[in-house]
Amino acid sequence: MAQETAVTNVRFEHWLKKAVEWGQVTTAESQQDVCLHLPELQAFLLQIYEVLQNMNTTAVIQSFPLIGQLLGRLCWNPFVVAHDKSQKILLQSLCCLYSKEPQNAVEFKANGWIR
């Protein structure tokens, strides 16, 4: 997929690392770092969302096994979700991962995590 190539493993790992760093402290410095990187993060989240729209949950998990960890960490970061655009993209991405009628263990697990 052309869109999937835009979301490289290197970029994915970069943002997961940032989310881990941001989640470990909620200081003024981490808030400044989130704010500094927020436009770039939002652009990345939009790319993720575009990919998610075109794939089923099982394929997403196979391509991005840590997608739940990334989205979950960002959802729990008060500095990220304080911005309407980031919050909206995160929720839309989660909706893409939710299966109305789960067909396998991966989809059941994803649904449980999203709830």
Side-chain angles (χ1 to χ4, degrees):
M1 282 189 181
Q3 290 176 336
E4 189 175 343
T5 59
V7 181
T8 64
N9 285 337
V10 172
R11 293 186 70 228
F12 189 90
E13 289 176 17
H14 165 77
W15 288 113
L16 180 57
K17 181 181 173 188
K18 277 295 207 190
V20 169
E21 289 172 8
W22 293 337
Q24 292 176 347
V25 291
T26 52
T27 63
E29 292 164 353
S30 65
Q31 181 180 10
Q32 288 175 342
D33 195 46
V34 170
C35 291
L36 176 68
H37 291 93
L38 195 60
E40 191 179 348
L41 173 63
Q42 289 172 340
F44 176 74
L45 289 174
L46 276 174
Q47 290 177 337
I48 289 281
Y49 174 60
E50 289 171 7
V51 169
L52 293 177
Q53 288 180 304
N54 296 305
M55 296 174 77
N56 67 39
T57 302
T58 303
V60 169
I61 301 297
Q62 289 172 345
S63 296
F64 306 104
L66 299 176
I67 187 80
Q69 190 175 140
L70 174 65
L71 296 177
R73 287 179 180 275
L74 293 174
C75 283
W76 282 99
N77 186 303
F79 306 130
V80 173
V81 295
H83 296 271
D84 290 340
K85 185 176 180 180
S86 300
Q87 186 180 57
K88 181 180 176 181
I89 299 166
L90 284 169
L91 291 175
Q92 288 173 323
S93 296
L94 291 175
C95 287
C96 287
L97 288 174
Y98 188 83
S99 302
K100 289 181 183 175
E101 297 179 19
Q103 301 297 312
N104 57 48
V106 171
E107 292 177 359
F108 276 106
K109 189 171 182 175
N111 281 5
W113 172 78
I114 292 167
R115 284 189 216 122

